[in-house]
Amino acid sequence: MRTHAIGLVPAVLVCGAAVLLFGFVLPFAGYALLVAGLLGAWLTDRSGRTSRLLPDLFLIALGQAIISTISLEADISYPAIVRFAVVLGLAVVVPYVISRYWYGDRVIRFPWRTGRRWTRTQWFYLIFVTVAGWLILPFYFITSGVYQNWPTVTAPDEIARLFVGVNAVGTWDELFFICTVFALLRRHFPTWQANLLQTIVFVSFLWELGYQSWGPLLTIPFALIQGYTFKLTKSLTYVLVVHLIFDAVVFCVIVYAHNGWPAIFPLVPS
């Protein structure tokens, strides 16, 4: 599929809209940027410089528009959990259905099983991720105070809902940002460009979710590495395991910051 370099302009507009929609929570400005990006894609497709860029950017824009209908601030009340499940679910399902059954292609896929064993490097990377998260995330959450962006949890029921919520959103991240946004962009752009573009959307979403202060210093590399890892492994299962390891640490840190347990972190500031 051919894409002239000019195709980056509408792609940057569509992905950059996430900064306004989720980073600054300016929906009308964000929608305007989405429309401008789609108009630009229509013009480049019409000129012959790009091919089917508009349909694919439309799916990315549609997913962002669906997500923007709710607040992404962390909320583990039962109504909020249902709201998150429905809206975030639609943001994945609707683009998939349109791509698969209207466009008739298979670019959006969820490769749970690749038929290949994990390499020794992949296993070592999982160990590295676990240790890095255990050392870095408590320092980030507590010194920046961003743990307060998540509700205080003390009762067993609250802790269970937090655990489910953190892991459910982490799973959804990979389904949308990697298997949908990244996959669609890779049809038109080199991997490094597609990865940078999906990172804009990924990090903007995480910012509204609560990873603020100097959080982008962590979330930007994380999003880039997840995209690159998916490109290398072609395995949703593997990138999901990596993500959920981080999320397990995030869950423990939030509970610790609010309650003082579990006291398992060596670099927690006094």
Side-chain angles (χ1 to χ4, degrees):
M1 187 156 308
R2 67 185 187 278
T3 297
H4 190 276
I6 195 65
L8 274 173
V9 175
V12 168
L13 291 175
V14 168
C15 294
V19 178
L20 297 176
L21 290 172
F22 312 127
F24 292 99
V25 194
L26 298 172
F28 293 112
Y31 297 149
L33 212 58
L34 289 177
V35 171
L38 295 178
L39 177 60
W42 176 74
L43 291 172
T44 60
D45 277 356
R46 188 181 183 189
S47 71
R49 291 184 176 90
T50 59
S51 176
R52 293 188 56 81
L53 182 60
L54 174 60
D56 288 341
L57 288 186
F58 170 73
L59 296 181
I60 296 173
L62 180 60
Q64 292 184 66
I66 292 172
I67 298 166
S68 71
T69 61
I70 62 170
S71 169
L72 297 177
E73 293 183 2
D75 184 350
I76 59 171
S77 65
Y78 287 110
I81 290 175
V82 172
R83 185 166 61 247
F84 264 72
V86 171
V87 173
L88 297 187
L90 287 173
V92 170
V93 171
V94 172
Y96 172 79
V97 170
I98 293 175
S99 175
R100 179 69 180 86
Y101 298 103
W102 184 7
Y103 297 172
D105 63 37
R106 296 178 178 271
V107 66
I108 300 176
R109 297 183 301 111
F110 308 104
W112 296 103
R113 300 179 63 182
T114 63
R116 295 183 296 179
R117 292 178 179 272
W118 290 358
T119 66
R120 182 177 299 178
T121 300
Q122 287 174 278
W123 283 106
F124 277 128
Y125 180 60
L126 289 181
I127 296 172
F128 170 78
V129 165
T130 303
V131 174
W134 179 56
L135 294 176
I136 297 171
L137 291 176
F139 183 82
Y140 160 62
F141 271 85
I142 295 174
T143 60
S144 67
V146 298
Y147 71 89
Q148 298 177 62
N149 293 332
W150 281 261
T152 302
V153 289
T154 54
D157 175 63
E158 294 172 333
I159 294 173
R161 277 182 278 143
L162 176 66
F163 179 80
V164 170
V166 167
N167 285 277
V169 172
T171 301
W172 177 88
D173 287 343
E174 302 303 325
L175 299 178
F176 183 72
F177 299 116
I178 301 301
C179 293
T180 303
V181 176
F182 184 47
L184 289 168
L185 291 169
R186 285 185 66 200
R187 293 183 82 178
H188 304 275
F189 307 104
T191 296
W192 71 271
Q193 293 178 352
N195 206 16
L196 286 171
L197 289 168
Q198 71 87 12
T199 295
I200 295 172
V201 188
F202 201 154
V203 173
S204 298
F205 174 88
L206 291 178
W207 177 273
E208 186 179 354
L209 191 64
Y211 293 84
Q212 298 173 7
S213 184
W214 50 276
L217 295 179
L218 299 177
T219 56
I220 289 173
F222 179 75
L224 288 171
I225 292 172
Q226 286 294 90
Y228 186 64
T229 300
F230 183 72
K231 186 258 184 184
L232 289 178
T233 65
K234 299 178 176 60
S235 171
L236 171 60
T237 302
Y238 186 75
V239 295
L240 185 56
V241 169
V242 171
H243 197 133
L244 294 184
I245 286 174
F246 267 98
D247 283 348
V249 179
V250 168
F251 164 76
C252 290
V253 172
I254 294 172
V255 173
Y256 172 81
H258 286 297
N259 299 283
W261 58 270
I264 59 174
F265 304 109
L267 299 181
V268 174
S270 57

